[in-house]
C-alpha cells in the first residue's frame, strides 16, 4: 500500500469515526441539557452564571473543568445556556474552559508531564478563560450572537400528529424532538467541519509538524498554536500525540501551544459555532485561543 492510499484510508477512517462519535455526543448532550432544563428552572441557571462580581465567572470555569466535553460537544450545552439566558461572559468562560480543562486532559497531563506542568497549564487556561469571558462581555460582544440561537427548536411533526386531536406527547419524547430538531440545524456545519478536519488529519504527517515547530525555530510556538486549530484531536489523543512530537524534537513550549490550540478551538468547533455566532464573535473566539496558546507556550519556555 503506497503513502497516498494510506492517507486516504486514514482520512476516511477518521471521517467515519468522528461522524459517529460527534453525532452520538451531540444528541446525548443535547438530550441531557433538555432534561436538565426540564427540572432546573432557567432562572436558577441564570442566577448561578450571571454573577457580576467574579463568582459567576469562576463557577463557570469550574463547571467547564468538571464536564468531560471536547471542543465540539460544548456547543449543545452552550445552546442550552443561551436559552436559559445565562450571563454572556460566564457562558464564554465555560466555552473556553470546558474542552481545555476537562478531566481527561488534566489526568493525562499529570501522568505524561507531571504535576508542576499540569498545575501551570490549569492556571493559565482557567485564568485566560475568565479574563477573556469578562472582557468579551465588557466590550459588548454579546451583540454578535445570532438571534435564532436563543429560540427553542420547533419539534418536527407530520400528518395528524400536529392536529388538535393528537395524543399528548410525553416530556421525554418532546425533549427528543427538540434535540433532533437542534441536530438537523447544525448537521451541515457538523459534516463540513468533520470533512475538513479529517482531510487535514489524514494528509498532515506528524513529522511535518515536528519539523516546522522544532526548538531551533523562533516561530515554533506561534506556528504550533496555528497548526493546532485545524487539527481535531480528541482529548484522549492530544496528550499522547504531543508526547510523541516532543520525542521527535518539538519544543515543549510549542507542544503546550499545540495542545491548547487543538483542544481549545478545533476547526469542527469553529464551523459549528457559526450556527450560533456572527463572524466577529468567531474571530474573537479564535483570537483568544491562539493568544492563550502562544502566551502559554512562551511562558512555559521561560519558566521551565
Amino acid at each position: 500500500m503506497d503513502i497516498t492510499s494510506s492517507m486516504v484510508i486514514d482520512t476516511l477512517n477518521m471521517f467515519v469515526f468522528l461522524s459517529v462519535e460527534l453525532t452520538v455526543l451531540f444528541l446525548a448532550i443535547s438530550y441531557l441539557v433538555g432534561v436538565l432544563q426540564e427540572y432546573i428552572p432557567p432562572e436558577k441557571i441564570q442566577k448561578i452564571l450571571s454573577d457580576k462580581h467574579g463568582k459567576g465567572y469562576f463557577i463557570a470555569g469550574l463547571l467547564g473543568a468538571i464536564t468531560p466535553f471536547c471542543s465540539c460537544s460544548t456547543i449543545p450545552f452552550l445552546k442550552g445556556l443561551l436559552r436559559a439566558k445565562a450571563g454572556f461572559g460566564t457562558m464564554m468562560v465555560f466555552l473556553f474552559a470546558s474542552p481545555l480543562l476537562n478531566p481527561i486532559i488534566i489526568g493525562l497531563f499529570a501522568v505524561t508531564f507531571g504535576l508542576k506542568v499540569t498545575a501551570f497549564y490549569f492556571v493559565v487556561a482557567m485564568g485566560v478563560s475568565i479574563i477573556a469571558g469578562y472582557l468579551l462581555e465588557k466590550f459588548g460582544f454579546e451583540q454578535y450572537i445570532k438571534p435564532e440561537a436563543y429560540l427553542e427548536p420547533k419539534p418536527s411533526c407530520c400528518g395528524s400528529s400536529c392536529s388538535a386531536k393528537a395524543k399528548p406527547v410525553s416530556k421525554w419524547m418532546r425533549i427528543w424532538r427538540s434535540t433532533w430538531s437542534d441536530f438537523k440545524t447544525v448537521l451541515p456545519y457538523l459534516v463540513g467541519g468533520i470533512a475538513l478536519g479529517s482531510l487535514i488529519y489524514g494528509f498532515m504527517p506528524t513529522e511535518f509538524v515536528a519539523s516546522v515547530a522544532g526548538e531551533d525555530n523562533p516561530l515554533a510556538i506561534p506556528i504550533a498554536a496555528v497548526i493546532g486549530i485545524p487539527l481535531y484531536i480528541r482529548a484522549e489523543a492530544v496528550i499522547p500525540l504531543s508526547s510523541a512530537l516532543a520525542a521527535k524534537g518539538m519544543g515543549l513550549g510549542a507542544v503546550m501551544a499545540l495542545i491548547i490550540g487543538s483542544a481549545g478551538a478545533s476547526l469542527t468547533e469553529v464551523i459549528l459555532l457559526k450556527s450560533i455566532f456572527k463572524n466577529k464573535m468567531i474571530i474573537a473566539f479564535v483570537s483568544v485561543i491562539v493568544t492563550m496558546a502562544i502566551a502559554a507556550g512562551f511562558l512555559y519556555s521561560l519558566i521551565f
Side-chain angles (χ1 to χ4, degrees):
M1 183 184 295
D2 57 27
I3 296 176
T4 303
S5 298
S6 177
M7 287 180 172
V8 170
I9 291 172
D10 286 345
T11 300
L12 291 174
N13 286 340
M14 180 56 70
F15 180 83
V16 172
F17 177 79
L18 288 180
S19 296
V20 174
E21 182 191 47
L22 293 183
T23 296
V24 171
L25 273 175
F26 191 97
L27 291 173
I29 293 170
S30 291
Y31 193 84
L32 178 61
V33 170
V35 172
L36 289 174
Q37 287 179 320
E38 192 76 24
Y39 291 97
I40 302 176
E43 295 78 15
K44 189 169 184 179
I45 297 175
Q46 184 180 4
K47 184 178 179 182
I48 293 172
L49 295 182
S50 296
D51 194 309
K52 302 296 184 182
H53 303 290
K55 182 181 176 182
Y57 294 94
F58 186 67
I59 290 175
L62 290 179
L63 180 63
I66 63 174
T67 49
F69 293 168
C70 66
S71 58
C72 296
S73 57
T74 58
I75 307 302
F77 199 90
L78 183 68
K79 281 177 171 282
L81 292 177
L82 281 170
R83 288 164 189 161
K85 295 181 172 58
F88 173 72
T90 50
M91 282 191 296
M92 294 309 299
V93 173
F94 174 83
L95 181 63
F96 291 126
S98 181
L100 290 171
L101 296 174
N102 80 62
I104 298 171
I105 283 188
I106 295 301
L108 289 173
F109 230 114
V111 171
T112 307
F113 296 109
L115 292 178
K116 286 185 179 179
V117 177
T118 304
F120 168 83
Y121 172 81
F122 186 93
V123 169
V124 169
M126 177 68 83
V128 175
S129 295
I130 291 173
I131 293 170
Y134 173 79
L135 291 177
L136 287 172
E137 181 168 2
K138 200 75 172 175
F139 292 139
F141 274 80
E142 188 172 1
Q143 64 183 303
Y144 301 121
I145 299 175
K146 292 182 177 180
E148 56 268 29
Y150 293 100
L151 302 176
E152 290 287 349
K154 296 178 180 178
S156 58
C157 54
C158 48
S160 60
S161 61
C162 284
S163 67
K165 296 181 180 179
K167 293 181 180 179
V169 178
S170 72
K171 62 182 176 182
W172 309 113
M173 182 55 69
R174 176 164 45 81
I175 294 170
W176 169 249
R177 287 181 177 178
S178 178
T179 298
W180 184 249
S181 180
D182 236 358
F183 176 69
K184 289 192 294 183
T185 300
V186 303
L187 185 59
Y189 301 98
L190 186 66
V191 173
I194 291 172
L196 287 172
S198 299
L199 283 170
I200 292 167
Y201 175 88
F203 288 89
M204 186 181 287
T206 55
E207 290 78 6
F208 168 75
V209 178
S211 66
V212 298
E215 291 181 347
D216 297 332
N217 186 353
L219 297 176
I221 290 173
I223 288 174
V226 173
I227 286 176
I229 299 295
L231 290 175
Y232 179 82
I233 309 176
R234 300 172 71 245
E236 294 87 340
V238 65
I239 306 300
L241 174 61
S242 299
S243 180
L245 288 171
K248 289 183 179 182
M250 189 173 187
L252 291 181
V255 168
M256 183 70 69
L258 180 71
I259 291 172
I260 292 175
S262 59
S266 70
L267 183 62
T268 308
E269 179 190 23
V270 171
I271 293 174
L272 278 172
L273 283 173
K274 283 186 66 65
S275 67
I276 301 175
F277 295 144
K278 297 177 183 178
N279 287 337
K280 287 186 178 180
M281 187 62 238
I282 298 288
I283 292 170
F285 172 79
V286 174
S287 298
V288 168
I289 295 298
V290 172
T291 301
M292 184 193 302
I294 293 173
F298 280 118
L299 193 58
Y300 177 85
S301 297
L302 197 63
I303 295 175
F304 295 96

